[in-house]
Amino acid sequence: MIGHDFPPPGEFIEVNGRKVHIQRIGTGFPTVIFESGLFADSYAFYQVQSKISEITSTLSYDRAGMGYSDSSPNPPRRASVFAEELFDLLQALKIAGPIIFVGWSAGGIYGREFARQHPEMVSGMVFIDSAHENLRSRQQADPVLTEWLKEPFDQIRMFTKFSKMTREEVLNEIESFQFPDYYTDHQLKYYKDISRPERFAYYLTLASFFEKDATQGENMLSSLGNMPLVVITKIATKMPTQSEEIN
C-alpha cells in the first residue's frame, strides 16, 4: 500500500484477503457507484459524492494498487479484471443493486464491462468524459482528434521521468505544479503523499493495459438497450473547421 503517511479519508474492507479502501456515504436506493479515471482514485469524486449522498447511498473506492488499497494478485489490469474485483467488493458490502454507475474517463470502459457482466445490477449509467473501447483506432484515423488527445502521452512522459527519480526529487518537481484553485489543503497533502516513484511506475503498467482496453474495436461497443444514460463531456461534439478557428 502506497501513501500510508496520510490518514485515509474512508474505511477498509477486506475482499479476498486484501484491503480495499472505500468511501461509503449516504443512505437509500439506488446506490451510486463512482469509478475514477485511469490514474485516479476515490478522492477524485469527494466533492460530487458528498452532494449526491444527500439524496441516496454512494460508494467510491480505490482500485487495487491505487490510493490506499492493497495491490491485486491478479496481474492483468484489464477492464474485465476491474469489473470482477468491483463485483467482489459489492458482494462483500452486500450491495446487490440496483446501482447507478458513474464512470469517468477509463472508468467508462470499466463500467460498461461491469454492466456487460452483471446487467441485472445496473439500473442506469453516467459517463463523464468517458473513454471507449475503440478509442485508439478512431484517434489514429482523425488527425485533428490526434492533436486534441496529446495530453495523455505527455502524462506518460512525466510518469516515466518521475518513476526514475527519488521521492525527494519527485516532491521537489511537483512543487512547481499549478494545482487548480478548488484543491483543498487536504487534497494537496494527499497528492504529495502518493507522489512516489513506485506509484508512477505502476501508472505506466496501467497505461499499457489501458491501451488494450482502448483498442478492443467496434464489436465491444454494444447497445445499453433501454438503460437510462447521461453523458457529460467537456470536449465539443463537433470539431471546429479551419475557418471557424480563424473567426
Side-chain angles (χ1 to χ4, degrees):
M1 188 189 303
I2 302 173
H4 58 275
D5 294 339
F6 195 66
E11 59 184 301
F12 291 100
I13 300 294
E14 186 163 321
V15 182
N16 297 332
R18 66 181 183 88
K19 290 182 179 179
V20 180
H21 176 247
I22 69 169
Q23 299 195 58
R24 180 170 44 175
I25 317 172
T27 58
F29 296 94
T31 299
V32 177
I33 308 293
F34 293 98
E35 187 74 52
S36 63
L38 183 61
F39 307 124
D41 47 52
S42 60
Y43 223 69
F45 286 107
Y46 89 101
Q47 292 190 61
V48 175
Q49 184 177 1
S50 65
K51 291 294 185 182
I52 301 301
S53 65
E54 295 175 2
I55 57 175
T56 193
S57 59
T58 64
L59 174 72
S60 61
Y61 73 108
D62 299 341
R63 289 189 296 269
M66 300 295 290
Y68 294 92
S69 290
D70 289 343
S71 58
S72 170
N74 197 343
R77 310 315 295 155
R78 296 288 304 275
S80 58
V81 174
F82 289 136
E84 292 170 3
E85 291 176 350
L86 174 58
F87 178 74
D88 290 342
L89 171 62
L90 296 182
Q91 290 286 97
L93 293 171
K94 295 181 170 48
I95 298 176
I99 68 171
I100 295 177
F101 198 102
V102 180
W104 167 43
S105 191
I109 295 180
Y110 307 152
R112 283 189 291 276
E113 176 62 23
F114 183 88
R116 188 187 69 80
Q117 291 185 17
H118 306 284
E120 74 288 351
M121 294 183 65
V122 184
S123 60
M125 302 194 78
V126 179
F127 297 149
I128 305 174
D129 286 338
S130 175
H132 63 79
E133 293 79 350
N134 200 34
L135 176 67
R136 289 301 181 232
S137 61
R138 291 188 185 181
Q139 176 188 343
Q140 293 165 3
D142 190 326
V144 178
L145 186 58
T146 299
E147 186 67 25
W148 278 36
L149 295 178
K150 277 185 176 179
E151 183 180 350
F153 298 103
D154 291 338
Q155 278 188 313
I156 296 302
R157 284 193 286 271
M158 182 184 73
F159 295 159
T160 302
K161 175 184 176 182
F162 284 1
S163 69
K164 300 174 182 177
M165 291 180 168
T166 65
R167 173 155 167 73
E168 290 71 27
E169 289 171 336
V170 170
L171 290 175
N172 288 335
E173 193 80 15
I174 66 176
E175 283 297 328
S176 63
F177 283 12
Q178 294 295 317
F179 291 96
D181 293 337
Y182 56 79
Y183 265 42
T184 65
D185 289 341
H186 198 270
Q187 281 178 288
L188 291 173
K189 289 178 182 177
Y190 168 78
Y191 183 82
K192 290 178 181 179
D193 189 49
I194 66 170
S195 294
R196 301 166 184 266
E198 58 267 38
R199 172 57 55 80
F200 293 111
Y202 181 57
Y203 289 169
L204 295 174
T205 299
L206 291 177
S208 66
F209 282 113
F210 174 74
E211 288 303 310
K212 299 176 182 178
D213 282 329
T215 54
Q216 295 179 84
E218 297 286 352
N219 62 315
M220 292 299 291
L221 291 169
S222 57
S223 171
L224 295 174
N226 295 324
M227 183 183 298
L229 170 66
V230 174
V231 177
I232 303 172
T233 180
K234 67 179 178 181
I235 299 178
T237 55
K238 176 179 179 293
M239 295 296 182
T241 63
Q242 187 174 18
S243 60
E244 287 173 334
E245 289 178 329
I246 293 173
N247 294 332

